[in-house]
Amino acid sequence: ILKNNNVLYFWPKDYSRIENMTKRVRYLAHKFPDINFIGVDSQLDHDVWKTYVNKTRSNKNKQFQINEKVKDVYFTDGIPRAILLDKFGKIKSDYTYLTQSNFESKLLLLQKNN
């Protein structure tokens, strides 16, 4: 992950939000090809999550699931949160959303500052 700018985004629980999230991630990944978009799920049953990864055509190499023992309320509010990390692993934004109106501006700053 280091050597690249990254967006860690956390999956919501319901499928309609997952669909919207994956469409947004595909759009952003296309617009910002130098940034890795890494999905993290902490809420769904493993088999359901795998089905959604396939159904939404998400990049399987950039999708991860957190072990149930480390789940936290931070990841489970239903809205896909995101953490922006620069190529040195420094957190640039720790409380943002993929759909936030200034999210793309944050991505531009992330690219520019490296």
Side-chain angles (χ1 to χ4, degrees):
I1 293 177
L2 295 179
K3 300 182 184 176
N4 292 311
N5 294 317
N6 299 281
V7 173
L8 299 179
Y9 63 92
F10 298 88
W11 283 51
K13 192 168 186 168
D14 64 272
Y15 185 69
S16 63
R17 288 188 182 197
I18 291 170
E19 267 189 316
N20 291 335
M21 173 202 66
T22 54
K23 287 176 186 176
R24 179 77 170 148
V25 168
R26 273 195 297 278
Y27 165 78
L28 293 169
H30 179 74
K31 189 168 183 175
F32 299 93
D34 296 333
I35 297 176
N36 286 325
F37 289 83
I38 301 166
V40 179
D41 172 63
S42 65
Q43 302 179 72
L44 299 171
D45 172 78
H46 182 71
D47 292 332
V48 171
W49 171 73
K50 283 177 69 175
T51 299
Y52 286 166
V53 168
N54 290 327
K55 194 172 186 178
T56 59
R57 295 175 283 125
S58 297
N59 183 335
K60 294 176 187 175
N61 295 324
K62 294 183 180 183
Q63 300 302 316
F64 300 91
Q65 197 170 39
I66 293 176
N67 182 312
E68 191 160 339
K69 294 178 184 175
V70 296
K71 287 183 184 179
D72 188 288
V73 74
Y74 178 82
F75 305 119
T76 60
D77 72 351
I79 299 171
R81 292 190 184 192
I83 298 172
L84 280 59
L85 301 163
D86 70 13
K87 63 184 176 184
F88 305 106
K90 185 175 178 183
I91 295 173
K92 294 297 188 176
S93 180
D94 67 346
Y95 190 83
T96 189
Y97 298 94
L98 294 172
T99 56
Q100 196 169 15
S101 61
N102 66 344
F103 190 74
E104 289 188 44
S105 298
K106 290 181 180 189
L107 294 178
L108 288 169
L109 282 174
L110 182 64
Q111 282 184 326
K112 184 179 179 181
N113 291 329
N114 289 297

